[in-house]
Amino acid sequence: MATNYATVTWDQLHRDARQLAEILIPRGPFKGIVAVTRGGLIPAAIIAREIDCRLIETVSVVTYDEEEQGQPMVLKAPAAAGDGEGFLIIDDLVDSGVTAQIVRQLLPKAVFACLYAKPSGKPLTDLFVVEVPQETWVLFPWDTAPLFIPPLARKGSTAG
Ligand SMILES: O=P(O)(O)OC[C@H]1O[C@H](OP(=O)(O)OP(=O)(O)O)[C@H](O)[C@@H]1O
Ligand SMILES: Nc1nc2[nH]cnc2c(=O)[nH]1
Ligand SMILES: [Mg+2]
């Protein structure tokens, strides 16, 4: 279980994805992008727009049920990307690195990039934008919703 949470807003995610696109441009041009579903889908869409790439393939790897890590399963292979030559793989983050390792085995010649990287997964990336401590759980905009919290002065109050 994580000891800390880091909330990423839509604005921050958009800025980080644009920054990743900027550092990816010198590594291109890319024939296509392979988005690691589901978390890589939105970052891949933002990056595809910035690097002017219209061919998007997906690979589906399921590892986590909420915060519990289980046995990774490939639900869909990235058939259109061959051995990955000329392709760019995009995921939202690497944590243990297990998902990245599986995807890299499927596409050994592709470039692997993600927005956020924890220390265990970092060596499996070619490029990332922000390092996050291992014990921090990243809350993406699609994981959260704004909710009412009472004013500090009323916290613990028994009246009203
Ligand atoms: O480095 P790892 O320890 O493998 O963790 C990273 C993976 O975990 C999350 O995906 P998840 O399995 O939760 O599926 P989702 O993208 O469909 O939400 C995240 O989107 C990465 O793909
Ligand atoms: N949302 C989210 N999914 C993950 N999958 C593996 N690590 C994480 C994390 O920190 N946040
Ligand atoms: Mg994922």
Side-chain angles (χ1 to χ4, degrees):
M1 198 71 178
T3 54
N4 259 317
Y5 290 88
T7 303
V8 178
T9 64
W10 285 111
D11 274 3
Q12 189 61 51
L13 184 104
H14 201 169
R15 268 197 298 276
D16 292 337
R18 281 190 164 139
Q19 196 179 327
L20 183 57
E22 190 132 16
I23 57 174
L24 277 164
I25 285 174
R27 301 286 296 257
F30 295 99
K31 279 196 251 179
I33 292 179
V34 177
V36 185
T37 70
R38 296 161 302 178
L41 285 167
I42 289 169
I46 296 167
I47 289 160
R49 189 263 183 187
E50 297 304 330
I51 68 171
D52 201 15
C53 175
R54 287 170 189 270
L55 197 163
I56 317 282
E57 171 59 298
T58 57
V59 56
S60 173
V61 184
V62 180
T63 312
Y64 287 82
D65 183 13
E66 302 205 334
E67 292 182 34
E68 285 296 311
Q69 189 172 15
Q71 276 302 320
M73 263 193 315
V74 178
L75 293 189
K76 182 199 164 287
D83 62 4
E85 180 144 30
F87 276 80
L88 167 65
I89 305 165
I90 297 289
D91 206 351
D92 52 358
L93 93 160
V94 289
D95 185 327
S96 66
V98 167
T99 305
Q101 197 169 14
I102 290 169
V103 174
R104 273 187 172 285
Q105 277 163 7
L106 294 171
L107 300 165
K109 296 198 174 157
V111 171
F112 185 101
C114 60
L115 302 179
Y116 310 111
K118 300 190 192 179
S120 302
K122 202 168 93 166
L124 287 144
T125 70
D126 292 309
L127 291 145
F128 67 91
V129 182
V130 180
E131 183 162 349
V132 177
Q134 194 68 45
E135 61 285 358
T136 295
W137 188 261
V138 179
L139 289 170
F140 288 102
W142 47 87
D143 294 327
T144 58
L147 87 168
F148 173 82
I149 51 162
L152 286 176
R154 280 198 221 148
K155 222 170 148 189
S157 148
T158 49

